[in-house]
Amino acid sequence: TRGFYIGRFQPYHNGHQKVLEQIACSSDEIVIGVGSAQESHTITNPFTAGERVLMLTQSLADLDCPFYVIPIEDIQRNALWVAHVRAMTPPFDTVYSSNPLVVQLFTEAGMTVKSIDMYERLTYSGTAIRQRMLDGEPWEHLVPPAVVNVIKEVHGVERLRQIARTD
Ligand code: ATP
Ligand code: MG
């Protein structure tokens, strides 16, 4: 079986990593969608799709399950979104998600959807991590070590602070 998991991964964090390690145990292969791929350099989406591909690929290097990381741009039409995703990805049979809209759209499309538990949601949250970066609080312990390196390489914290300034 090939499993599918999608997120924006702004940034990729330990909650996502736990979920993917769990999915790896019950799938032969995993397809990972990087959503809102066209977005970058904003407060809610600071990192490019390419940077997020790097975060995922390097963090999952030791996963004992083959995986594909596929950027997926938004389309402004939820009714067509499942077809859009499927057009961009290797075929998959099982969708893993805890996002209500993702669950709803794939269920309506007749696909097998498995919901997954949140792992310390208040701590492991993209929003909380971006806020810590802005506030100068420690965030490195909330993401895999490879993500710390990618964010350092692209000067991600400085970028986020710069775009948060007012003119
Ligand atoms: P943001 O606050 O920017 O929305 P996020 O932490 O929700 O970031 P997303 O990229 O939006 O991260 O999430 C991708 C998927 O991972 C979503 O379905 C989300 O529900 C799930 N997810 C997020 N945090 C956790 C967590 N701590 N444990 C398990 N799943 C999580
Ligand atoms: Mg989210």
Side-chain angles (χ1 to χ4, degrees):
T1 72
R2 204 176 282 122
F4 178 73
Y5 182 65
I6 189 163
R8 285 173 23 259
F9 309 120
Q10 294 280 12
Y12 183 72
H13 59 61
N14 291 339
H16 304 133
Q17 181 87 356
K18 277 271 173 196
V19 168
L20 280 165
E21 285 169 354
Q22 214 174 300
I23 297 172
C25 298
S26 43
S27 310
D28 300 314
E29 294 194 316
I30 309 178
V31 180
I32 304 163
V34 176
S36 301
Q38 81 285 357
E39 297 278 348
S40 76
H41 296 79
T42 68
I43 307 283
T44 43
N45 292 289
F47 305 112
T48 67
E51 289 161 356
R52 290 176 274 157
V53 167
L54 213 50
M55 292 178 199
L56 279 143
T57 308
Q58 296 190 353
S59 300
L60 295 169
D62 294 332
L63 199 71
D64 56 359
C65 177
F67 62 91
Y68 308 85
V69 183
I70 315 280
I72 298 175
E73 295 190 8
D74 291 332
I75 56 165
Q76 307 309 323
R77 210 184 273 228
N78 287 336
L80 302 182
W81 183 74
V82 167
H84 170 66
V85 169
R86 294 178 77 175
M88 300 300 292
T89 49
F92 53 85
D93 39 75
T94 308
V95 174
Y96 295 88
S97 185
S98 40
N99 180 283
L101 179 61
V102 172
V103 169
Q104 180 68 20
L105 294 176
F106 277 109
T107 302
E108 286 188 21
M111 300 208 54
T112 303
V113 180
K114 295 194 175 160
S115 54
I116 36 189
D117 292 335
M118 286 289 179
Y119 178 75
E120 294 183 41
R121 177 54 163 159
L122 295 183
T123 311
Y124 300 115
S125 137
T127 302
I129 291 168
R130 293 191 301 275
Q131 192 60 52
R132 282 172 165 271
M133 289 173 170
L134 285 171
D135 294 342
E137 285 170 20
W139 54 272
E140 293 88 343
H141 60 294
L142 304 174
V143 304
V147 172
V148 177
N149 290 333
V150 172
I151 290 174
K152 279 206 179 118
E153 180 187 339
V154 305
H155 306 289
V157 174
E158 293 80 355
R159 177 193 298 168
L160 183 58
R161 292 208 184 126
Q162 169 70 13
I163 60 189
R165 291 168 63 177
T166 52
D167 59 9

